[in-house]
Amino acid sequence: MKPLGKLRLGVNIDHVATVRNARGSQWPEPLRAALLAEAAGADGITAHLREDRRHIRDADIEALVAGIGIPLNFECAATAEMHAIALRHHPHAICVVPEKRSERTTEGGLDVAGDEARLRDFIAPLRAAGTRVSMFIAHDRRQIAAAARIGAAVVELHTGLYSDLHADGNSAAAEAELTALRKGAALAHSLGLEVHAGHGLTYDNVAPIAAIPEVMELNIGHFLIGEAIFVGLEDAILEMRRRMDQARPQDGH
Ligand code: PXP
């Protein structure tokens, strides 16, 4: 199957804020990173306003909404507080993620199937305001079907396990996980959902994910911000873009 369209790159700038917050200063500024990412050809900026504000803060979201010229993908948990913030800013997109305070990063997918009624109510006003709502889920049939039922426009498939298995050199298990991600992407597409993917993606593991024909967007953060320390953010993004494009040779639009 040919890719469904050009693969977009969303750059997650959370960890610019992590570095800033480590010193309690104003630098480095997430907005500056977002503008550099935009100049380097990123298709969108992703920022996760966690309930504990450990990296991105409310003022960062305001600055991003006012300052960037590409779409903002606002990541948040499905709480009343985040709902109000999202409605106030109405970003281009919202990605709903599970959140546990004790976790270092978003560890698993959202349990959409177990929380359908509440998530349907969470989505409806955002949809009505014109925001594209995405559910960050595992490649599980039940979760994908539930996301379609509650009216999500997009699912973002969690690539964290694939990335961990790849990093551990467990190639058989990584391949099995890839197969499951491919099946999940095909199912989601068949149910009318746009498919995104992200978590743990690096130069070395991005190609097979970029090659999944139904996947339309990758959201990548931690690796790019780390790589930027060595080569600068622009070069890190350009190299990721190159690898994504190379993995999708027939991208015709
Ligand atoms: N997509 C979602 C929904 C996420 O929660 C994250 C991490 O914040 C990412 C993508 C990016 O993951 P990483 O920082 O590992 O590239």
Side-chain angles (χ1 to χ4, degrees):
M1 178 176 168
K2 273 191 160 186
L4 290 177
K6 183 165 170 22
L7 183 60
R8 297 189 300 269
L9 171 60
V11 174
N12 180 320
I13 52 153
D14 291 351
H15 297 301
V16 177
T18 303
V19 176
R20 175 195 61 193
N21 297 359
R23 286 298 291 270
S25 69
Q26 297 168 45
W27 302 283
E29 289 173 340
L31 175 61
R32 184 170 171 201
L35 293 172
L36 267 176
E38 182 175 344
D43 300 291
I45 299 297
T46 295
H48 182 178
L49 186 65
R50 292 188 70 105
E51 289 177 87
D52 62 9
R53 310 298 199 270
R54 71 173 69 157
H55 38 58
I56 293 292
R57 297 176 180 148
D58 299 63
D60 295 321
I61 298 295
E62 275 165 39
L64 291 168
V65 168
I68 61 175
I70 49 178
L72 176 65
N73 176 30
F74 175 70
E75 254 187 52
C76 62
T79 64
E81 183 200 21
M82 293 300 155
H83 200 248
I85 293 171
L87 279 173
R88 194 162 67 244
H89 292 304
H90 54 82
H92 166 81
I94 290 177
C95 182
V96 184
V97 300
E99 240 182 67
K100 290 190 219 103
R101 278 177 190 258
S102 57
E103 69 191 359
R104 264 187 295 175
T105 179
T106 314
E107 280 167 5
L110 194 66
D111 181 14
V112 183
D115 204 6
E116 273 194 45
R118 199 176 72 86
L119 288 170
R120 183 183 280 113
D121 289 350
F122 187 88
I123 288 179
L126 298 168
R127 270 182 67 169
T131 295
R132 284 178 76 66
V133 184
S134 168
M135 300 279 125
F136 186 48
I137 55 173
H139 51 63
D140 175 328
R141 300 182 65 84
R142 279 177 58 243
Q143 301 299 345
I144 294 167
R149 275 196 302 275
I150 64 169
V154 181
V155 285
E156 180 163 329
L157 298 181
H158 199 314
T159 53
L161 177 58
Y162 157 73
S163 300
D164 288 347
L165 293 167
H166 190 278
D168 291 347
N170 193 342
S171 47
E175 195 52 47
E177 184 62 13
L178 257 180
T179 301
L181 284 161
R182 290 187 189 111
K183 283 189 184 151
L187 173 65
H189 174 66
S190 76
L191 295 176
L193 292 156
E194 183 173 310
V195 185
H196 299 175
H199 211 283
L201 296 177
T202 68
Y203 290 161
D204 288 342
N205 68 20
V206 75
I209 301 295
I212 298 174
E214 295 88 357
V215 172
M216 299 297 291
E217 178 175 311
L218 301 182
N219 284 299
I220 309 181
H222 186 262
F223 177 84
L224 285 176
I225 302 304
E227 189 64 11
I229 294 169
F230 305 107
V231 302
L233 189 55
E234 184 179 11
D235 281 359
I237 290 170
L238 290 174
E239 177 61 14
M240 187 61 82
R241 178 88 256 171
R242 191 184 68 74
R243 290 181 187 232
M244 286 164 56
D245 290 346
Q246 200 174 40
R248 242 165 132 93
Q250 318 153 57
D251 228 358
H253 313 222

